[in-house]
Amino acid sequence: MDADLMGRALTRIAHEVSERNRGGHELALIGIRTRGVVIARRLADKLLDILRAPVPTGALDITLYRDDLMRQPVGPQPVVRQTEISFSIDDKRIVLVDDVLYTGRTIRAALDALIDFGRPQSIQLIVLVDRGHRELPIKADYVGKNLPTSLAQSVQVRMQEIDGCDEVVIQDDKSAGRQA
Amino acid sequence: MGPFDTSRVAVPGEPGATPPKLRTGLRSRHLLSVGDLEGDEISLIFDTAEAMKEIELRPIKKVPALRGKTIVNLFYEPSTRTRTSFEIAEKRLSADSLNVAVAGSSMVKGETLFDTARNLEAMAPDMIVLRHQASGAPFQLASICRAGVINAGDGMHEHPTQALLDGFTIRAHKGQIEGLKIAIVGDLLHSRVFRSNLLLLRALGAEVWVCGPPTLIPPGIERFGVTATTRLDEAAEGADVIMMLRIQRERMLGHFVPSLREYFMVYGLTVERVERAKPDVIIMHPGPMNRGVEIASEVADGPYSVMLDQVANGVAVRMAVLYLLAGNPDEM
């Protein structure tokens, strides 16, 4: 996936979100750190054009909710980054945003974290890439691209704001990787 | 020491190369002395504390990070601030915490620290937070315990989490610590808060001035790279931070100062003396403070005072320390 394709996928998703949420009333976006936050901000810009109203946007760090904390026999703790949700999520239609949907464990942690912030009317999920291999009963409501992968591969999403370019790359174990 | 000594980590494909790598963990599973921490470990604790601060703004002030971990707060000395701060930090991380205070325990029946520790160990705690009147007690505890040990103040030696929360508070107000003029004033001789702060602030590149009556300045203190003076005006001149230390009345029986009234006249922080410092100076005190002894009430309650920030930041910093230490492996 290159920059052009990514841009078009995000535009399509923004339209789908607006359609499914009847004009965006009570809508709010929450990106999961790190790249989900960048995608959420871009979607917020697109939704501003479509809805002609700003959509509150937040950032969620799920580290402290991970189900593998304290389970690795050795190794340092994952780095905790800041959560920034400056609005009440009570009765909002929350749309979670992440880059890659894989096992579903990150989303499980994000759902737990969100519930600690309040009681939203509903929670929906946007992912840029769904690469399969779910380990939990979780499904995205909006998908940029379905990307069949093997377990040996890894999927890298690169975003202009962080990585200097927009692209999605599949890496076979230890090889250079090719654009998906 | 630990397995995470980055200097020994080989980088695949780049033999011998040591690129600047973001630190993601602490080297030790104990926090005994600030002197054991490297600069990037201190930064990691500060950055983690920054993230932890957000949790207290939530409707539900609790995250499941330390679920199922047992932490014993073992306090041989009276403490309100430090003990409650640790306890709140533990609860916000979902750890099971339990307080053992000296008055209600078998320690008053003559049990030694070792025996108490062994008995607590038998109940398999994951961490022990120790406050003890003997310098070095946490080091001894760490050498016999499987649990991680956090020094919450040992005798006249160190109080690492206090220095970390002081440093975090300074960074929050000033943006950085390097290059700041920081004056530490009062009973330097008996103060573990001073010793930990001295190590921390020097490691982070602050210009440290220390001030107090000659009887309360440890001899040879200049070797730590600080400027010592007995004149408060000199220490306060152009200071970015003034950190006041408590006059420990219980340790003043040795006639270190003629009287508390005279001490206040010469070394008490008054509004006039604060005016010598930078216009944006911050005034710190680890508490509990003696109004009218080391600090005037107008200063303690004045606009430059950040003492309540220190207390608030204490919880976040202790959450960061508990979280980061909890992930580290058993004895290596």
Side-chain angles (χ1 to χ4, degrees), chain A residues 94-114:
Chain A
I94 297 294
V95 186
L96 267 178
V97 186
D98 204 2
D99 53 354
V100 180
L101 180 56
Y102 181 27
T103 60
R105 288 174 192 269
T106 301
I107 305 304
R108 197 283 311 162
L111 291 174
D112 270 5
L114 275 183

Side-chain angles (χ1 to χ4, degrees), chain A:
Chain A
M1 187 185 264
D2 60 12
D4 181 46
L5 223 55
M6 191 187 286
R8 277 189 281 152
L10 292 179
T11 306
R12 172 175 55 78
I13 290 174
H15 280 284
E16 286 176 14
V17 170
S18 125
E19 209 174 309
R20 292 251 302 258
N21 295 280
R22 288 182 217 88
H25 188 60
E26 296 292 324
L27 199 64
L29 293 167
I30 292 181
I32 298 175
R33 293 230 182 249
T34 306
R35 284 170 187 75
V37 178
V38 174
I39 301 172
R41 287 207 193 101
R42 288 206 203 166
L43 286 167
D45 287 345
K46 291 185 191 290
L47 282 166
L48 179 63
D49 288 344
I50 298 167
L51 304 170
R52 302 189 188 292
V55 177
T57 305
L60 181 66
D61 182 273
I62 56 101
T63 310
L64 297 167
Y65 291 83
R66 283 169 60 148
D67 60 6
D68 56 353
L69 272 184
M70 316 293 162
R71 283 182 191 269
Q72 313 96 316
V74 288
Q77 295 281 66
V79 174
V80 185
R81 296 195 170 79
Q82 223 155 343
T83 293
E84 291 161 30
I85 300 177
S86 55
F87 48 88
S88 163
I89 71 164
D90 283 337
D91 300 319
K92 289 270 189 333
R93 293 161 175 267
I94 297 294
V95 186
L96 267 178
V97 186
D98 204 2
D99 53 354
V100 180
L101 180 56
Y102 181 27
T103 60
R105 288 174 192 269
T106 301
I107 305 304
R108 197 283 311 162
L111 291 174
D112 270 5
L114 275 183
I115 299 306
D116 282 357
F117 282 86
R119 187 177 185 278
Q121 192 184 126
S122 62
I123 302 178
Q124 302 163 51
L125 175 62
I126 296 174
V127 294
L128 186 59
V129 173
D130 183 346
R131 62 165 293 191
H133 306 292
R134 213 76 76 243
E135 293 169 3
L136 297 172
I138 279 168
K139 184 173 173 294
D141 301 276
Y142 313 90
V143 179
K145 189 178 163 91
N146 282 298
L147 211 57
T149 54
S150 81
L151 287 169
Q153 293 171 319
S154 77
V155 175
Q156 302 290 329
V157 172
R158 303 201 175 110
M159 305 294 295
Q160 185 73 42
E161 293 87 331
I162 297 170
D163 312 291
C165 65
D166 280 351
E167 62 175 359
V168 178
V169 176
I170 297 184
Q171 273 175 319
D172 294 311
D173 201 22
K174 292 196 176 87
S175 81
R178 63 188 156 83
Q179 213 171 61

Side-chain angles (χ1 to χ4, degrees), chain B residues 171-221:
Chain B
R171 195 180 81 157
H173 281 271
K174 302 289 179 188
Q176 59 162 40
I177 290 175
E178 192 174 351
L180 295 180
K181 177 176 176 180
I182 300 177
I184 308 179
V185 184
D187 180 358
L188 305 159
L189 186 65
H190 299 109
S191 175
R192 55 193 173 210
V193 174
F194 163 63
R195 280 171 182 72
S196 286
N197 261 302
L198 175 62
L199 294 170
L200 182 105
L201 296 172
R202 288 296 298 145
L204 298 179
E207 180 196 346
V208 180
W209 285 61
V210 300
C211 174
T215 47
L216 292 175
I217 298 180
I221 193 68

